[in-house]
Amino acid sequence: MILLTLWAVAALVLECTASLPPGRPPRLNKVGFDSTKLVECAEQPKTQKINAGQTFHIQSPKYSKYYPTMECGWMFQVTGTENVMVACSKFEMKKRDRNGNCKDFLQIGDIKFCGKNGPTNITVNVKKLVEVKFASNKSAGGFSCTMTALFNNSNTLRQS
């Protein structure tokens, strides 16, 4: 069942991106494509409900242009599963400073991502809510990610 679900997700991604020029991510509107909904980053995010098998798309503000200096986020409530897969097709943010700190970052639960090391096919285990935060103090290229509610996956980061 897990293999079938992962295969279906992979097929959907390939189908949606096959007609794009190399290196160019799909452009989405607020409705999205193939049941993928684009959710805007908000200073006070409303909780979005995700059912098992459903996908949401998140991206840095003003994507695919440089993002502004700001803080915003997303809040997802998962139903029918405890696992959410996060995959970024593009991730280009300010790199860590010389002390190893992320000044510009995408935070999923307690894990911060910055530089060019964004989440690629990781699964976050959540009990109730998954909080995603974007913060920046300098402009860079941005990110484009999907969040898909799955049933199980072996690459799991724990979130309480």
PDB file of all heavy atoms in Angstrom, residues 55-88:
ATOM      1  N   THR A  55      -2.829  17.159  -1.132  1.00  0.00           N
ATOM      2  CA  THR A  55      -1.576  17.895  -1.250  1.00  0.00           C
ATOM      3  C   THR A  55      -1.830  19.392  -1.228  1.00  0.00           C
ATOM      4  O   THR A  55      -2.766  19.875  -1.869  1.00  0.00           O
ATOM      5  CB  THR A  55      -0.850  17.521  -2.563  1.00  0.00           C
ATOM      6  OG1 THR A  55      -0.551  16.126  -2.535  1.00  0.00           O
ATOM      7  CG2 THR A  55       0.434  18.305  -2.739  1.00  0.00           C
ATOM      8  N   PHE A  56      -0.990  20.104  -0.505  1.00  0.00           N
ATOM      9  CA  PHE A  56      -0.993  21.561  -0.488  1.00  0.00           C
ATOM     10  C   PHE A  56       0.352  22.043  -0.994  1.00  0.00           C
ATOM     11  O   PHE A  56       1.379  21.395  -0.798  1.00  0.00           O
ATOM     12  CB  PHE A  56      -1.218  22.099   0.935  1.00  0.00           C
ATOM     13  CG  PHE A  56      -2.647  22.088   1.363  1.00  0.00           C
ATOM     14  CD1 PHE A  56      -3.229  20.950   1.881  1.00  0.00           C
ATOM     15  CD2 PHE A  56      -3.415  23.231   1.246  1.00  0.00           C
ATOM     16  CE1 PHE A  56      -4.546  20.939   2.278  1.00  0.00           C
ATOM     17  CE2 PHE A  56      -4.739  23.235   1.639  1.00  0.00           C
ATOM     18  CZ  PHE A  56      -5.306  22.083   2.152  1.00  0.00           C
ATOM     19  N   HIS A  57       0.351  23.193  -1.637  1.00  0.00           N
ATOM     20  CA  HIS A  57       1.571  23.786  -2.173  1.00  0.00           C
ATOM     21  C   HIS A  57       1.861  25.057  -1.385  1.00  0.00           C
ATOM     22  O   HIS A  57       0.964  25.879  -1.197  1.00  0.00           O
ATOM     23  CB  HIS A  57       1.368  24.108  -3.655  1.00  0.00           C
ATOM     24  CG  HIS A  57       2.608  24.530  -4.343  1.00  0.00           C
ATOM     25  ND1 HIS A  57       3.493  23.636  -4.889  1.00  0.00           N
ATOM     26  CD2 HIS A  57       3.138  25.755  -4.563  1.00  0.00           C
ATOM     27  CE1 HIS A  57       4.502  24.298  -5.419  1.00  0.00           C
ATOM     28  NE2 HIS A  57       4.308  25.583  -5.232  1.00  0.00           N
ATOM     29  N   ILE A  58       3.106  25.204  -0.909  1.00  0.00           N
ATOM     30  CA  ILE A  58       3.519  26.435  -0.233  1.00  0.00           C
ATOM     31  C   ILE A  58       4.742  26.988  -0.953  1.00  0.00           C
ATOM     32  O   ILE A  58       5.516  26.233  -1.548  1.00  0.00           O
ATOM     33  CB  ILE A  58       3.827  26.217   1.264  1.00  0.00           C
ATOM     34  CG1 ILE A  58       4.988  25.250   1.475  1.00  0.00           C
ATOM     35  CG2 ILE A  58       2.572  25.738   2.002  1.00  0.00           C
ATOM     36  CD1 ILE A  58       5.459  25.144   2.916  1.00  0.00           C
ATOM     37  N   GLN A  59       4.880  28.297  -0.932  1.00  0.00           N
ATOM     38  CA  GLN A  59       6.038  28.914  -1.545  1.00  0.00           C
ATOM     39  C   GLN A  59       6.353  30.219  -0.835  1.00  0.00           C
ATOM     40  O   GLN A  59       5.491  30.786  -0.150  1.00  0.00           O
ATOM     41  CB  GLN A  59       5.859  29.131  -3.040  1.00  0.00           C
ATOM     42  CG  GLN A  59       4.599  29.838  -3.427  1.00  0.00           C
ATOM     43  CD  GLN A  59       4.327  29.795  -4.927  1.00  0.00           C
ATOM     44  OE1 GLN A  59       3.722  30.700  -5.426  1.00  0.00           O
ATOM     45  NE2 GLN A  59       4.727  28.771  -5.632  1.00  0.00           N
ATOM     46  N   SER A  60       7.594  30.660  -0.987  1.00  0.00           N
ATOM     47  CA  SER A  60       7.991  31.910  -0.360  1.00  0.00           C
ATOM     48  C   SER A  60       7.179  33.059  -0.972  1.00  0.00           C
ATOM     49  O   SER A  60       6.770  32.987  -2.133  1.00  0.00           O
ATOM     50  CB  SER A  60       9.490  32.145  -0.544  1.00  0.00           C
ATOM     51  OG  SER A  60       9.866  32.030  -1.898  1.00  0.00           O
ATOM     52  N   PRO A  61       6.919  34.097  -0.188  1.00  0.00           N
ATOM     53  CA  PRO A  61       6.185  35.250  -0.711  1.00  0.00           C
ATOM     54  C   PRO A  61       6.865  35.816  -1.957  1.00  0.00           C
ATOM     55  O   PRO A  61       8.090  35.865  -2.051  1.00  0.00           O
ATOM     56  CB  PRO A  61       6.228  36.250   0.446  1.00  0.00           C
ATOM     57  CG  PRO A  61       6.365  35.391   1.658  1.00  0.00           C
ATOM     58  CD  PRO A  61       7.239  34.240   1.230  1.00  0.00           C
ATOM     59  N   LYS A  62       6.068  36.196  -2.943  1.00  0.00           N
ATOM     60  CA  LYS A  62       6.504  36.755  -4.232  1.00  0.00           C
ATOM     61  C   LYS A  62       7.264  35.752  -5.097  1.00  0.00           C
ATOM     62  O   LYS A  62       7.948  36.142  -6.027  1.00  0.00           O
ATOM     63  CB  LYS A  62       7.327  38.027  -4.031  1.00  0.00           C
ATOM     64  CG  LYS A  62       6.553  39.135  -3.365  1.00  0.00           C
ATOM     65  CD  LYS A  62       7.298  40.429  -3.399  1.00  0.00           C
ATOM     66  CE  LYS A  62       6.436  41.508  -2.773  1.00  0.00           C
ATOM     67  NZ  LYS A  62       7.054  42.813  -2.824  1.00  0.00           N
ATOM     68  N   TYR A  63       7.162  34.439  -4.782  1.00  0.00           N
ATOM     69  CA  TYR A  63       7.834  33.426  -5.583  1.00  0.00           C
ATOM     70  C   TYR A  63       7.372  33.556  -7.028  1.00  0.00           C
ATOM     71  O   TYR A  63       6.213  33.799  -7.277  1.00  0.00           O
ATOM     72  CB  TYR A  63       7.490  32.027  -5.051  1.00  0.00           C
ATOM     73  CG  TYR A  63       8.188  30.924  -5.794  1.00  0.00           C
ATOM     74  CD1 TYR A  63       9.492  30.610  -5.496  1.00  0.00           C
ATOM     75  CD2 TYR A  63       7.547  30.233  -6.803  1.00  0.00           C
ATOM     76  CE1 TYR A  63      10.151  29.615  -6.187  1.00  0.00           C
ATOM     77  CE2 TYR A  63       8.197  29.240  -7.500  1.00  0.00           C
ATOM     78  CZ  TYR A  63       9.493  28.935  -7.188  1.00  0.00           C
ATOM     79  OH  TYR A  63      10.140  27.954  -7.876  1.00  0.00           O
ATOM     80  N   SER A  64       8.125  33.523  -7.996  1.00  0.00           N
ATOM     81  CA  SER A  64       9.487  33.099  -8.219  1.00  0.00           C
ATOM     82  C   SER A  64      10.479  34.259  -8.249  1.00  0.00           C
ATOM     83  O   SER A  64      11.592  34.121  -8.727  1.00  0.00           O
ATOM     84  CB  SER A  64       9.581  32.302  -9.506  1.00  0.00           C
ATOM     85  OG  SER A  64       9.247  33.122 -10.608  1.00  0.00           O
ATOM     86  N   LYS A  65      10.078  35.389  -7.702  1.00  0.00           N
ATOM     87  CA  LYS A  65      10.983  36.519  -7.550  1.00  0.00           C
ATOM     88  C   LYS A  65      11.607  36.438  -6.167  1.00  0.00           C
ATOM     89  O   LYS A  65      11.241  35.604  -5.350  1.00  0.00           O
ATOM     90  CB  LYS A  65      10.215  37.826  -7.720  1.00  0.00           C
ATOM     91  CG  LYS A  65       9.598  37.959  -9.092  1.00  0.00           C
ATOM     92  CD  LYS A  65       8.781  39.203  -9.208  1.00  0.00           C
ATOM     93  CE  LYS A  65       8.163  39.254 -10.598  1.00  0.00           C
ATOM     94  NZ  LYS A  65       7.110  40.216 -10.718  1.00  0.00           N
ATOM     95  N   TYR A  66      12.560  37.325  -5.899  1.00  0.00           N
ATOM     96  CA  TYR A  66      13.171  37.360  -4.574  1.00  0.00           C
ATOM     97  C   TYR A  66      12.122  37.638  -3.518  1.00  0.00           C
ATOM     98  O   TYR A  66      11.212  38.430  -3.726  1.00  0.00           O
ATOM     99  CB  TYR A  66      14.265  38.432  -4.506  1.00  0.00           C
ATOM    100  CG  TYR A  66      15.524  38.039  -5.234  1.00  0.00           C
ATOM    101  CD1 TYR A  66      15.968  38.768  -6.318  1.00  0.00           C
ATOM    102  CD2 TYR A  66      16.271  36.947  -4.818  1.00  0.00           C
ATOM    103  CE1 TYR A  66      17.135  38.410  -6.988  1.00  0.00           C
ATOM    104  CE2 TYR A  66      17.421  36.583  -5.479  1.00  0.00           C
ATOM    105  CZ  TYR A  66      17.851  37.322  -6.563  1.00  0.00           C
ATOM    106  OH  TYR A  66      18.992  36.953  -7.210  1.00  0.00           O
ATOM    107  N   TYR A  67      12.252  36.973  -2.378  1.00  0.00           N
ATOM    108  CA  TYR A  67      11.288  37.165  -1.299  1.00  0.00           C
ATOM    109  C   TYR A  67      11.641  38.409  -0.489  1.00  0.00           C
ATOM    110  O   TYR A  67      12.801  38.817  -0.426  1.00  0.00           O
ATOM    111  CB  TYR A  67      11.196  35.935  -0.401  1.00  0.00           C
ATOM    112  CG  TYR A  67      12.490  35.444   0.198  1.00  0.00           C
ATOM    113  CD1 TYR A  67      13.092  36.094   1.270  1.00  0.00           C
ATOM    114  CD2 TYR A  67      13.102  34.302  -0.294  1.00  0.00           C
ATOM    115  CE1 TYR A  67      14.261  35.631   1.831  1.00  0.00           C
ATOM    116  CE2 TYR A  67      14.278  33.827   0.266  1.00  0.00           C
ATOM    117  CZ  TYR A  67      14.858  34.499   1.317  1.00  0.00           C
ATOM    118  OH  TYR A  67      16.015  34.040   1.873  1.00  0.00           O
ATOM    119  N   PRO A  68      10.641  39.018   0.162  1.00  0.00           N
ATOM    120  CA  PRO A  68      10.878  40.217   0.975  1.00  0.00           C
ATOM    121  C   PRO A  68      11.337  39.859   2.389  1.00  0.00           C
ATOM    122  O   PRO A  68      11.276  38.704   2.808  1.00  0.00           O
ATOM    123  CB  PRO A  68       9.492  40.862   1.020  1.00  0.00           C
ATOM    124  CG  PRO A  68       8.553  39.700   0.950  1.00  0.00           C
ATOM    125  CD  PRO A  68       9.227  38.687   0.049  1.00  0.00           C
ATOM    126  N   THR A  69      11.770  40.879   3.132  1.00  0.00           N
ATOM    127  CA  THR A  69      12.087  40.712   4.548  1.00  0.00           C
ATOM    128  C   THR A  69      10.761  40.618   5.292  1.00  0.00           C
ATOM    129  O   THR A  69       9.936  41.531   5.223  1.00  0.00           O
ATOM    130  CB  THR A  69      12.900  41.917   5.050  1.00  0.00           C
ATOM    131  OG1 THR A  69      14.125  41.967   4.322  1.00  0.00           O
ATOM    132  CG2 THR A  69      13.181  41.815   6.530  1.00  0.00           C
ATOM    133  N   MET A  70      10.524  39.496   5.978  1.00  0.00           N
ATOM    134  CA  MET A  70       9.258  39.307   6.680  1.00  0.00           C
ATOM    135  C   MET A  70       9.244  38.012   7.475  1.00  0.00           C
ATOM    136  O   MET A  70      10.158  37.205   7.359  1.00  0.00           O
ATOM    137  CB  MET A  70       8.085  39.293   5.693  1.00  0.00           C
ATOM    138  CG  MET A  70       8.053  38.088   4.773  1.00  0.00           C
ATOM    139  SD  MET A  70       6.691  38.099   3.582  1.00  0.00           S
ATOM    140  CE  MET A  70       5.261  38.227   4.605  1.00  0.00           C
ATOM    141  N   GLU A  71       8.191  37.827   8.267  1.00  0.00           N
ATOM    142  CA  GLU A  71       7.897  36.569   8.946  1.00  0.00           C
ATOM    143  C   GLU A  71       6.446  36.220   8.663  1.00  0.00           C
ATOM    144  O   GLU A  71       5.563  37.064   8.763  1.00  0.00           O
ATOM    145  CB  GLU A  71       8.102  36.680  10.460  1.00  0.00           C
ATOM    146  CG  GLU A  71       9.534  36.716  10.874  1.00  0.00           C
ATOM    147  CD  GLU A  71       9.713  36.614  12.376  1.00  0.00           C
ATOM    148  OE1 GLU A  71       8.799  36.124  13.073  1.00  0.00           O
ATOM    149  OE2 GLU A  71      10.784  37.022  12.851  1.00  0.00           O
ATOM    150  N   CYS A  72       6.212  34.974   8.296  1.00  0.00           N
ATOM    151  CA  CYS A  72       4.850  34.498   8.061  1.00  0.00           C
ATOM    152  C   CYS A  72       4.860  32.980   8.187  1.00  0.00           C
ATOM    153  O   CYS A  72       5.901  32.379   8.433  1.00  0.00           O
ATOM    154  CB  CYS A  72       4.326  34.948   6.695  1.00  0.00           C
ATOM    155  SG  CYS A  72       5.296  34.364   5.287  1.00  0.00           S
ATOM    156  N   GLY A  73       3.709  32.349   8.021  1.00  0.00           N
ATOM    157  CA  GLY A  73       3.687  30.905   8.167  1.00  0.00           C
ATOM    158  C   GLY A  73       2.406  30.254   7.721  1.00  0.00           C
ATOM    159  O   GLY A  73       1.518  30.892   7.141  1.00  0.00           O
ATOM    160  N   TRP A  74       2.338  28.954   8.011  1.00  0.00           N
ATOM    161  CA  TRP A  74       1.205  28.112   7.669  1.00  0.00           C
ATOM    162  C   TRP A  74       0.929  27.197   8.855  1.00  0.00           C
ATOM    163  O   TRP A  74       1.835  26.845   9.599  1.00  0.00           O
ATOM    164  CB  TRP A  74       1.527  27.235   6.466  1.00  0.00           C
ATOM    165  CG  TRP A  74       1.891  27.973   5.228  1.00  0.00           C
ATOM    166  CD1 TRP A  74       1.056  28.300   4.199  1.00  0.00           C
ATOM    167  CD2 TRP A  74       3.181  28.440   4.841  1.00  0.00           C
ATOM    168  NE1 TRP A  74       1.768  28.958   3.215  1.00  0.00           N
ATOM    169  CE2 TRP A  74       3.063  29.061   3.593  1.00  0.00           C
ATOM    170  CE3 TRP A  74       4.446  28.420   5.459  1.00  0.00           C
ATOM    171  CZ2 TRP A  74       4.147  29.639   2.928  1.00  0.00           C
ATOM    172  CZ3 TRP A  74       5.528  29.003   4.812  1.00  0.00           C
ATOM    173  CH2 TRP A  74       5.366  29.596   3.555  1.00  0.00           C
ATOM    174  N   MET A  75      -0.316  26.775   9.002  1.00  0.00           N
ATOM    175  CA  MET A  75      -0.688  25.832  10.046  1.00  0.00           C
ATOM    176  C   MET A  75      -1.570  24.774   9.387  1.00  0.00           C
ATOM    177  O   MET A  75      -2.558  25.102   8.733  1.00  0.00           O
ATOM    178  CB  MET A  75      -1.461  26.551  11.143  1.00  0.00           C
ATOM    179  CG  MET A  75      -1.611  25.746  12.392  1.00  0.00           C
ATOM    180  SD  MET A  75      -0.081  25.662  13.284  1.00  0.00           S
ATOM    181  CE  MET A  75      -0.349  26.918  14.469  1.00  0.00           C
ATOM    182  N   PHE A  76      -1.184  23.496   9.536  1.00  0.00           N
ATOM    183  CA  PHE A  76      -1.925  22.400   8.929  1.00  0.00           C
ATOM    184  C   PHE A  76      -2.402  21.428   9.996  1.00  0.00           C
ATOM    185  O   PHE A  76      -1.640  21.043  10.878  1.00  0.00           O
ATOM    186  CB  PHE A  76      -1.048  21.652   7.916  1.00  0.00           C
ATOM    187  CG  PHE A  76      -0.638  22.496   6.748  1.00  0.00           C
ATOM    188  CD1 PHE A  76       0.596  23.127   6.734  1.00  0.00           C
ATOM    189  CD2 PHE A  76      -1.485  22.669   5.672  1.00  0.00           C
ATOM    190  CE1 PHE A  76       0.984  23.911   5.667  1.00  0.00           C
ATOM    191  CE2 PHE A  76      -1.111  23.447   4.593  1.00  0.00           C
ATOM    192  CZ  PHE A  76       0.128  24.076   4.592  1.00  0.00           C
ATOM    193  N   GLN A  77      -3.668  21.041   9.894  1.00  0.00           N
ATOM    194  CA  GLN A  77      -4.242  20.009  10.759  1.00  0.00           C
ATOM    195  C   GLN A  77      -4.485  18.786   9.889  1.00  0.00           C
ATOM    196  O   GLN A  77      -5.154  18.861   8.863  1.00  0.00           O
ATOM    197  CB  GLN A  77      -5.553  20.484  11.378  1.00  0.00           C
ATOM    198  CG  GLN A  77      -6.189  19.457  12.284  1.00  0.00           C
ATOM    199  CD  GLN A  77      -7.483  19.977  12.898  1.00  0.00           C
ATOM    200  OE1 GLN A  77      -7.979  21.035  12.556  1.00  0.00           O
ATOM    201  NE2 GLN A  77      -8.033  19.196  13.802  1.00  0.00           N
ATOM    202  N   VAL A  78      -3.930  17.656  10.308  1.00  0.00           N
ATOM    203  CA  VAL A  78      -3.969  16.438   9.503  1.00  0.00           C
ATOM    204  C   VAL A  78      -5.082  15.521   9.988  1.00  0.00           C
ATOM    205  O   VAL A  78      -5.242  15.303  11.182  1.00  0.00           O
ATOM    206  CB  VAL A  78      -2.609  15.723   9.570  1.00  0.00           C
ATOM    207  CG1 VAL A  78      -2.609  14.488   8.708  1.00  0.00           C
ATOM    208  CG2 VAL A  78      -1.497  16.665   9.146  1.00  0.00           C
ATOM    209  N   THR A  79      -5.862  14.972   9.037  1.00  0.00           N
ATOM    210  CA  THR A  79      -6.941  14.048   9.349  1.00  0.00           C
ATOM    211  C   THR A  79      -6.724  12.745   8.586  1.00  0.00           C
ATOM    212  O   THR A  79      -6.414  12.769   7.402  1.00  0.00           O
ATOM    213  CB  THR A  79      -8.303  14.652   8.929  1.00  0.00           C
ATOM    214  OG1 THR A  79      -8.457  15.918   9.550  1.00  0.00           O
ATOM    215  CG2 THR A  79      -9.447  13.751   9.317  1.00  0.00           C
ATOM    216  N   GLY A  80      -6.863  11.609   9.272  1.00  0.00           N
ATOM    217  CA  GLY A  80      -6.766  10.306   8.610  1.00  0.00           C
ATOM    218  C   GLY A  80      -5.352   9.783   8.471  1.00  0.00           C
ATOM    219  O   GLY A  80      -5.132   8.743   7.864  1.00  0.00           O
ATOM    220  N   THR A  81      -4.369  10.500   9.005  1.00  0.00           N
ATOM    221  CA  THR A  81      -2.969  10.085   8.962  1.00  0.00           C
ATOM    222  C   THR A  81      -2.194  10.882   9.992  1.00  0.00           C
ATOM    223  O   THR A  81      -2.699  11.873  10.516  1.00  0.00           O
ATOM    224  CB  THR A  81      -2.352  10.282   7.561  1.00  0.00           C
ATOM    225  OG1 THR A  81      -1.003   9.808   7.575  1.00  0.00           O
ATOM    226  CG2 THR A  81      -2.371  11.735   7.141  1.00  0.00           C
ATOM    227  N   GLU A  82      -0.992  10.456  10.273  1.00  0.00           N
ATOM    228  CA  GLU A  82      -0.102  11.217  11.150  1.00  0.00           C
ATOM    229  C   GLU A  82       1.172  11.606  10.416  1.00  0.00           C
ATOM    230  O   GLU A  82       2.103  12.108  11.018  1.00  0.00           O
ATOM    231  CB  GLU A  82       0.245  10.404  12.402  1.00  0.00           C
ATOM    232  CG  GLU A  82      -0.937  10.178  13.303  1.00  0.00           C
ATOM    233  CD  GLU A  82      -0.566   9.408  14.562  1.00  0.00           C
ATOM    234  OE1 GLU A  82       0.578   8.939  14.684  1.00  0.00           O
ATOM    235  OE2 GLU A  82      -1.442   9.283  15.426  1.00  0.00           O
ATOM    236  N   ASN A  83       1.244  11.364   9.104  1.00  0.00           N
ATOM    237  CA  ASN A  83       2.464  11.624   8.346  1.00  0.00           C
ATOM    238  C   ASN A  83       2.220  12.590   7.202  1.00  0.00           C
ATOM    239  O   ASN A  83       1.303  12.405   6.411  1.00  0.00           O
ATOM    240  CB  ASN A  83       3.021  10.311   7.785  1.00  0.00           C
ATOM    241  CG  ASN A  83       3.438   9.376   8.893  1.00  0.00           C
ATOM    242  OD1 ASN A  83       4.240   9.747   9.742  1.00  0.00           O
ATOM    243  ND2 ASN A  83       2.889   8.179   8.908  1.00  0.00           N
ATOM    244  N   VAL A  84       3.084  13.617   7.125  1.00  0.00           N
ATOM    245  CA  VAL A  84       3.020  14.596   6.048  1.00  0.00           C
ATOM    246  C   VAL A  84       4.375  14.628   5.355  1.00  0.00           C
ATOM    247  O   VAL A  84       5.401  14.843   5.999  1.00  0.00           O
ATOM    248  CB  VAL A  84       2.669  16.001   6.593  1.00  0.00           C
ATOM    249  CG1 VAL A  84       2.704  17.038   5.481  1.00  0.00           C
ATOM    250  CG2 VAL A  84       1.308  15.992   7.273  1.00  0.00           C
ATOM    251  N   MET A  85       4.384  14.375   4.032  1.00  0.00           N
ATOM    252  CA  MET A  85       5.619  14.429   3.264  1.00  0.00           C
ATOM    253  C   MET A  85       5.816  15.850   2.741  1.00  0.00           C
ATOM    254  O   MET A  85       4.884  16.452   2.204  1.00  0.00           O
ATOM    255  CB  MET A  85       5.622  13.468   2.079  1.00  0.00           C
ATOM    256  CG  MET A  85       6.943  13.568   1.334  1.00  0.00           C
ATOM    257  SD  MET A  85       7.306  12.356   0.036  1.00  0.00           S
ATOM    258  CE  MET A  85       5.810  12.059  -0.787  1.00  0.00           C
ATOM    259  N   VAL A  86       7.035  16.369   2.911  1.00  0.00           N
ATOM    260  CA  VAL A  86       7.394  17.698   2.429  1.00  0.00           C
ATOM    261  C   VAL A  86       8.474  17.529   1.367  1.00  0.00           C
ATOM    262  O   VAL A  86       9.489  16.870   1.599  1.00  0.00           O
ATOM    263  CB  VAL A  86       7.919  18.589   3.574  1.00  0.00           C
ATOM    264  CG1 VAL A  86       8.225  19.988   3.061  1.00  0.00           C
ATOM    265  CG2 VAL A  86       6.920  18.640   4.721  1.00  0.00           C
ATOM    266  N   ALA A  87       8.234  18.115   0.200  1.00  0.00           N
ATOM    267  CA  ALA A  87       9.195  18.033  -0.895  1.00  0.00           C
ATOM    268  C   ALA A  87       9.291  19.398  -1.568  1.00  0.00           C
ATOM    269  O   ALA A  87       8.271  19.976  -1.954  1.00  0.00           O
ATOM    270  CB  ALA A  87       8.761  16.982  -1.916  1.00  0.00           C
ATOM    271  N   CYS A  88      10.495  19.928  -1.678  1.00  0.00           N
ATOM    272  CA  CYS A  88      10.718  21.230  -2.308  1.00  0.00           C
ATOM    273  C   CYS A  88      11.372  21.041  -3.672  1.00  0.00           C
ATOM    274  O   CYS A  88      12.426  20.418  -3.762  1.00  0.00           O
ATOM    275  CB  CYS A  88      11.587  22.116  -1.421  1.00  0.00           C
ATOM    276  SG  CYS A  88      10.824  22.503   0.164  1.00  0.00           S
TER     277      CYS A  88
END
